[in-house]
Amino acid sequence: MIPVITIDGPSGTGKGTIAHLLSNRLGWHCLDSGALYRVLGLTAQRLGVELDDADAVAALAVRLKVTFAADRVLLDGEDVTDAIRTEQAGMAASRVAAHPSARAALLAWQRARACPPGLVADGRDMGTVVFPHAPLKVFLDASPEERAKRRYKQLKEKGLDANLPNLIVDIRERDTRDRSRQVAPLRAAGDAVVLDSTTLSVDEVLDRVLKEVRRVFPELVP
Ligand code: C5P
């Protein structure tokens, strides 16, 4: 059995950052499953496929050729790392991710990312659906206002346009869709460790996660 650590939660909780830091620390692989849905949303938009058309989106998902190479995301060999990071791509991802058939088409690809020595997987349903037997599951949460503030700061740092009230509305809308969809809704697995990062720094969250890693895999972290 390849060891897997899942880190789920809504957008803006810092789970991507924590997953990245943790996988580096352990020397494990890292799966950013949100990037997969973002690539699917981007592909649908580029091809003019209606995001709510479940059959058409699932057909795209079956053929999707995504490669994660170092910190870049490639679609059919094209570097789409920056293109998938916009708010619009996030919203498109959340719409295509609502289709059960599209999710099913991406399941095997995600599970195949579990390779030795181990995998840190971040997303919404890593602990509930994709890796239900993972020995350590973390669910990271934070208030919508704090998440919007973090996103605002990130966008400003990149020199991009950002509006805080709009970001709060977007985050709430995406949360509602992710939590209320019928298949793989965003929720903590029953056996997940729930961490609220609203008032914590990245280092503090990482410390708490490492404490859990030590508990479950005592041989891995001194
Ligand atoms: O994590 P990120 O913000 O990149 O995810 C973008 C969208 O992809 C989420 O809002 C969610 O709708 C979808 N997603 C999902 N399941 C995952 C990861 C992401 O449905 N495991």
Side-chain angles (χ1 to χ4, degrees):
M1 277 284 272
I2 317 268
V4 175
I5 297 174
T6 61
I7 304 187
D8 287 305
S11 53
T13 49
K15 58 186 187 330
T17 308
I18 295 297
H20 190 72
L21 292 171
L22 182 62
S23 62
N24 277 346
R25 176 82 173 249
L26 299 176
W28 287 12
H29 301 279
C30 192
L31 167 64
D32 170 5
S33 61
L36 196 57
Y37 289 99
R38 285 171 181 267
V39 172
L40 181 59
L42 181 76
T43 307
Q45 285 185 315
R46 281 183 174 179
L47 296 177
V49 166
E50 181 51 54
L51 300 178
D52 296 325
D53 183 340
D55 290 344
V57 170
L60 287 184
V62 171
R63 297 197 308 267
L64 208 62
K65 292 268 180 298
V66 184
T67 318
F68 289 173
D71 58 348
R72 311 310 291 173
V73 181
L74 307 181
L75 166 63
D76 276 326
E78 176 197 344
D79 190 336
V80 291
T81 316
D82 296 329
I84 61 168
R85 286 296 145 204
T86 63
E87 287 306 300
Q88 200 200 9
M91 206 52 96
S94 154
R95 286 176 63 189
V96 294
H99 303 308
S101 46
R103 303 193 71 86
L106 301 177
L107 205 51
W109 189 92
Q110 294 176 85
R111 288 189 174 146
R113 306 275 75 72
C115 298
L119 177 74
V120 179
D122 103 66
R124 303 292 186 289
D125 61 341
M126 298 295 100
T128 50
V129 176
V130 183
F131 300 107
H133 304 298
L136 175 57
K137 301 175 184 176
V138 176
F139 190 87
L140 264 189
D141 215 342
S143 72
E145 292 75 17
E146 177 60 26
R147 291 188 278 134
K149 272 192 222 154
R150 291 177 190 171
R151 183 75 187 132
Y152 178 85
K153 208 169 139 234
Q154 271 177 353
L155 289 170
K156 284 288 179 192
E157 277 167 7
K158 284 187 193 160
L160 296 170
D161 219 17
N163 172 301
L164 189 58
N166 286 354
L167 284 173
I168 296 177
V169 171
D170 282 359
I171 278 190
R172 285 188 190 280
E173 190 186 324
R174 192 129 69 93
D175 277 3
T176 304
R177 185 167 28 233
D178 289 351
R179 287 183 206 270
S180 62
R181 68 182 173 218
Q182 287 190 338
V183 166
L186 169 64
R187 65 173 176 82
D191 52 351
V193 176
V194 180
L195 282 179
D196 189 321
S197 77
T198 306
T199 60
L200 301 178
S201 67
V202 171
D203 285 347
E204 287 169 327
V205 176
L206 185 62
D207 271 355
R208 293 190 191 202
V209 173
L210 281 170
K211 212 166 107 197
E212 298 302 326
V213 177
R214 253 178 234 118
R215 179 177 61 77
V216 179
F217 304 100
E219 70 289 0
L220 284 183
V221 189

